[in-house]
Structures are given as structure tokens and as C-alpha cells.
Amino acid sequence: MIGILGAGSLGRLWGAMLPAGGIAFIARPGEPTGASVDYRFRPFEGPESQVRIPFLQPGHEPELILVTTKAGDTLDAVAGVINQFAIDTPILLFQNGLGSQQAVAEQWPERPILAASTTEGANRPESGLLVHAGTGDTWVGPMTSPAKATVRKAVTMLATSGLNIHPETDIVQRLWQKLIINAGINPYTAILDCPNGKILDAPLYQSTIDQLCLELSQLMDAAVRIRQTPDALRERIEQVARNTAGNTSSMRADVQRGRRTEIDFINGYVAKLGKELGIETPVNQMLTERVQQLS
């Protein structure tokens, strides 16, 4: 059985895609629950269906735990349930940005902590409806030493969803590549309150994107020895923005719903890392502060 901690869009996507009967949501301490989580699911292709995922019952031991909470909630969410499960149970983190994965791995280095980077898209345009908005790929890799032996098991179990799952020995590098995209799109969509493609012609974007990409390029080189030119980063950001032109980013959706955003783990993480490494990040700092003011 696979346990899912976090019943947001991504958690519900995995709940809908994995084989019925082999999944359950994990309730956090004090969280009100019913017998199950019920919602409609609209796949990327095919007819809409009704999904019912039960909550994990006491005494049941999942073989794999997916953590699909928001980045800012992850450490507390894992801490609230981790002692219920065997020390060798793999825990797979699905969070945007960087920082939350390292925090969990540092807190429980003796456990098999993995992280995932995914380009699957899911959103909830209305209450009770989950839409698989775009197909992509998911990479899974170890964050702690004990996790190295569990990568293949996690990949095999997730592959039963029919989605594209890949093992990745250097998952932090993958997470950085996704961080670049999120840092170059999400805050602009939140500040400008527009879908992804609309940022490209906006004066705020046009006047700051080159400096943003310079900051990201310098930090990647200094922190993880990934060397990519600012021009290459801008090209990647803009290609994704065009490919997902009509989509609403998770950060814009959070602002619209009055929820806390993940800015501290995206541009905020970049700004914090810049201070630690002595690299100036004025655009990342500006975007972080402007999004924080929206909440």
C-alpha cells in the first residue's frame, strides 16, 4: 500500500492515478477526517470519474509514503506522523522549490528520505474537482544514504500509475532545474495576477528577467557546480511559459485563494542562499518581498 500525506492537488492526482485499493491518505494529528476523500477527477485524456480514497487505518503499514504537502508545511507534517511508521519505510517528498527537502533529510538522516521532481500538472478549478492539466515526467532520487537502496522500489510502485517515472541519482540537480522555472514564472504570475504566458510581455518581467537569470546562474555554479548561462536559463523559462501559456501557476492560485505561498522556498530560498554565499540577489529578493505582501 502507498500512503499519501497531503490531500492537495498533487496528492489527489496520485490518488486518482494509482491503482484503486492500494492507496490511502494519511491524516495529520488533529486533522478532521471522514471515512474517505471523495472528488471528481478529470484526466488529461478520457472521461471524468468519481474517486474515493480511504484514510489509512491504525495498524496498517504503507510500503511507501508520498508527502504532497506545501513546502512550508512539510517538516511539521512529517514530524506529526513519522513515528507511526517503521524506520525503513521510504518517504518520498513532492515539494516545489528547495529547502524543505533538506530540512526533512537533516532531521531524519537514519531514514530512507527521497525527493521527487515532477512536471505533472494538476489543479482544482472548483471544489470537489481535480483536473490533470498536463502530462510530464517524474524523477525520484535519494536525499539520505538509506534511501539509495529504495529508489527502484519507489519507482516501480509509482510506475503502476501509468505516468512516466525515472530514477535519478542526483535529485538535487533535478530540483534546481525545476527551481529555475518556478523562480522565473511563478512570482510574476502572482504579482501580475495572470496566466503563465502573459508574463512575457509585461514590463516587470522584461525589466528584471535578465538580472534574475544572472543571479540564478551564479548561484547554481557556486552552490551545486551546475554551469548554465543566463541566456540559456531565460530561454528555458520562456519556453515553459509559452508551452503552459494558459495555465495558472500554483503561486497565483495560492494568492487568489488567500493561502500562504511557497515563495520562501523558491525565490526566497535563492535570496537566502545568496546571502550565505556572498552573491547579491536583488531581483529574487524583490520578487520574494512583493509576493509576501500579497498574502
Side-chain angles (χ1 to χ4, degrees), residues 129-149:
L129 173 64
L130 188 280
V131 175
H132 190 189
T135 60
D137 293 271
T138 299
W139 292 268
V140 174
M143 292 295 295
T144 60
S145 292
K148 294 176 183 177

Side-chain angles (χ1 to χ4, degrees), residues 1-5 26 56 61-67 78 81-82 85-94 104 108 110-116 140-158:
M1 172 174 283
I2 295 177
I4 303 175
L5 180 61
I26 300 170
L56 189 70
E61 283 283 341
E63 299 174 73
L64 173 67
I65 297 171
L66 310 185
V67 183
V78 174
V81 302
I82 196 167
F85 306 115
I87 196 169
D88 60 351
T89 304
I91 298 173
L92 178 54
L93 307 173
F94 280 87
V104 173
W108 296 283
E110 75 284 1
R111 286 182 176 265
I113 308 295
L114 304 109
V140 174
M143 292 295 295
T144 60
S145 292
K148 294 176 183 177
T150 68
V151 172
R152 187 157 298 281
K153 173 183 178 180
V155 168
T156 300
M157 293 186 74
L158 291 185

